[in-house]
Amino acid sequence: INAEYGVMSSALKIEVQKASKNKRIATHTHIKGLGLREDGTALPSGSGLVGQNQAREAAGIVVDLIKTKKMAGKALLLAGAPGTGKTALALGIAQELGPKVPFCPMIGSEVYSHEVKKTEILAENFRKSIGLRVKEVKEVFEGEVTEMIPEETENPLGGYGKTVANVKVGLKTKKGTKQLKLDPTIYESLQKERVAVGDVIYIEANSGSVKRVGRSDAYASEVDLEAEEYVPLPQGQVHKKKEITQDVTLHDLDIANARPKGGSDLISMMGQMMRHKKTEITEKLRLEINKIVNSYIEQGLAELVPGVLFIDEVHMLDIECFTYLNKALESTLAPIVILATNRGSCPIRGTEMISPHGIPLDLLDRVLIIRTQKYGF
């Protein structure tokens, strides 16, 4: 897999955007878990949660069921009045399952769109909730940048400007140094990563993608205060093999492989501009990706990370969506589905049948229900 564009197989392409760490304060940023003791009892206040002791203890049992793989084909329903912490409990469960577990929240009314089918939106959110951790051994050039000299030539198209023909980059490790002559496109990547002399970087040999690891710790004493991450000088030789781990979701794979590849001529470009931005991903493509993902898991090249799909206001879904949920829960590639509602007995949307929480009885039979109590102010 390539950090920018890569191919796992002839049928599967992964495109991973480099995600910069943006820590934003949101409604549930402070939730770090369920706040339970080792024996499973709830602390009065812990991991960002206060109160709801019974619900938190029940959620802890659900986490144990998930970890022992006994929740297959089942879902969880959080039922309670508005403002009793249903979303916080769902996020707490996701945090308890481990780091980098995908958490995909959605609201029941999101499925109603004039552009896309209801089941398509549900399928998309299901795929966003399933992570894939891919491990690959790649040939890389890694070290501290000692020099970076671009060589310019006359512009072949004429004019006064000059173009970069190549760039010479010197890399240094604890065992040796090496000078590389790189393509102008890699120079552009170096500029995007804001690489300067003294930075520790690695360049993938096959793809040429560049990753800035941090500033060399030899420069740590230059200034008293700096918002820079300092890293030690890399061990070994400059040219080496390195194991790289990437976390992607199945939805990322769907998008990367569904994107049409048009030509570079004007008609093709106009055709791509005229297309709707939101295009449906076919079931055939998803099945192909599933096959390749399963083969990679069997070979030990990738690990499946089932995440949490949280559907709030589940009573807003109609009978067609509930039928799809029944089928999706049985799938081998299924996340942990957590539903939430603040309704008691009400009609199932799209029918005149009255049912508890507005959910059909056949789906309700395979659901574990946790009730949240009102806070006494």
Side-chain angles (χ1 to χ4, degrees):
I1 301 168
N2 192 343
E4 292 290 340
Y5 300 91
V7 178
M8 280 174 71
S9 162
S10 58
L12 184 60
K13 180 182 78 173
I14 295 183
E15 179 181 346
V16 180
Q17 300 295 332
K18 291 184 178 69
S20 57
K21 288 186 178 179
N22 291 328
K23 291 186 179 178
R24 297 194 179 118
I25 304 297
T27 317
H28 298 102
T29 312
H30 62 286
I31 307 293
K32 304 297 177 195
L34 291 169
L36 303 174
R37 297 185 182 92
E38 285 187 15
D39 61 351
T41 55
L43 293 161
S45 170
S47 301
L49 292 169
V50 180
Q52 298 293 355
N53 291 2
Q54 288 182 328
R56 279 157 59 198
E57 286 169 12
I61 294 167
V62 170
V63 169
D64 290 339
L65 286 171
I66 293 164
K67 284 181 177 176
T68 53
K69 297 180 180 177
K70 291 179 181 175
M71 270 288 283
K74 293 188 182 296
L76 180 66
L77 174 64
L78 302 173
T84 52
K86 296 187 291 293
T87 310
L89 271 177
L91 188 56
I93 290 170
Q95 296 281 7
E96 289 284 344
L97 290 172
K100 293 189 178 176
V101 169
F103 180 75
C104 178
M106 67 170 288
I107 298 168
S109 52
E110 278 180 32
V111 300
Y112 302 106
S113 164
H114 292 291
E115 294 178 7
V116 186
K117 289 185 291 188
K118 290 176 279 192
T119 52
E120 175 64 26
I121 292 171
L122 278 174
E124 188 177 298
N125 281 288
F126 259 83
R127 308 281 283 184
K128 281 180 185 174
S129 312
I130 303 165
L132 193 69
R133 191 163 292 150
V134 187
K135 292 176 183 174
E136 262 201 324
V137 177
K138 291 188 175 182
E139 281 190 33
V140 296
F141 293 95
E142 185 180 35
E144 179 195 324
V145 179
T146 54
E147 61 172 350
M148 192 164 62
I149 306 163
E151 289 189 1
E152 294 182 335
T153 56
E154 294 293 331
N155 193 336
L157 302 173
Y160 299 107
K162 290 188 175 183
T163 58
V164 175
N166 56 65
V167 59
K168 285 181 181 175
V169 175
L171 294 178
K172 177 179 76 173
T173 63
K174 286 186 177 178
K175 272 198 175 178
T177 59
K178 196 176 183 76
Q179 192 179 57
L180 306 172
K181 191 175 180 180
L182 305 174
D183 193 72
T185 53
I186 299 175
Y187 181 58
E188 288 173 19
S189 301
L190 289 165
Q191 286 180 313
K192 280 181 189 173
E193 289 279 330
R194 296 181 182 178
V195 173
V197 172
D199 291 347
V200 175
I201 65 167
Y202 72 80
I203 304 167
E204 290 182 16
N206 296 333
S207 61
S209 63
V210 178
K211 174 84 170 108
R212 183 181 181 273
V213 182
R215 189 90 174 143
S216 174
D217 57 6
Y219 295 84
S221 58
E222 276 187 347
V223 288
D224 294 327
L225 284 173
E226 190 179 354
E228 185 65 81
E229 189 179 347
Y230 290 99
V231 292
L233 195 67
Q235 305 278 348
Q237 297 292 338
V238 173
H239 186 214
K240 65 182 81 168
K241 288 188 177 180
K242 185 173 182 176
E243 189 179 82
I244 295 166
T245 305
Q246 283 191 15
D247 287 292
V248 292
T249 65
L250 294 187
H251 181 64
D252 295 336
L253 303 185
D254 293 342
I255 289 174
N257 289 277
R259 195 164 289 152
K261 302 167 190 67
S264 57
D265 60 319
L266 186 63
I267 297 166
S268 299
M269 288 169 71
M270 287 295 289
Q272 285 178 24
M273 285 168 68
M274 294 295 287
R275 282 195 193 102
H276 291 293
K277 288 182 182 177
K278 188 107 178 166
T279 55
E280 288 194 22
I281 296 156
T282 61
E283 192 63 28
K284 186 182 175 184
L285 176 71
R286 287 198 175 112
L287 290 171
E288 286 294 322
I289 289 171
N290 287 354
K291 275 184 195 173
I292 297 161
V293 165
N294 285 328
S295 71
Y296 268 71
I297 293 166
E298 285 167 13
Q299 291 170 38
L301 299 173
E303 177 193 353
L304 200 68
V305 185
V308 173
L309 172 62
F310 177 64
I311 306 176
D312 204 357
E313 295 180 11
V314 72
H315 54 269
M316 291 296 291
L317 298 180
D318 64 5
I319 195 75
E320 188 183 341
C321 296
F322 285 125
T323 309
Y324 179 83
L325 274 180
N326 253 332
K327 175 198 161 194
L329 284 172
E330 291 287 340
S331 168
T332 51
L333 296 174
I336 295 102
V337 179
I338 301 179
L339 315 172
T341 182
N342 52 25
R343 298 290 169 93
S345 289
C346 63
I348 301 166
R349 198 177 173 97
T351 70
E352 294 178 3
M353 292 164 57
I354 304 290
S355 182
H357 310 297
I359 300 172
L361 293 177
D362 56 344
L363 179 59
L364 210 57
D365 286 341
R366 58 168 69 204
V367 161
L368 298 176
I369 303 174
I370 295 177
R371 187 181 168 203
T372 54
Q373 306 289 339
K374 278 189 177 180
Y375 285 91
F377 294 109

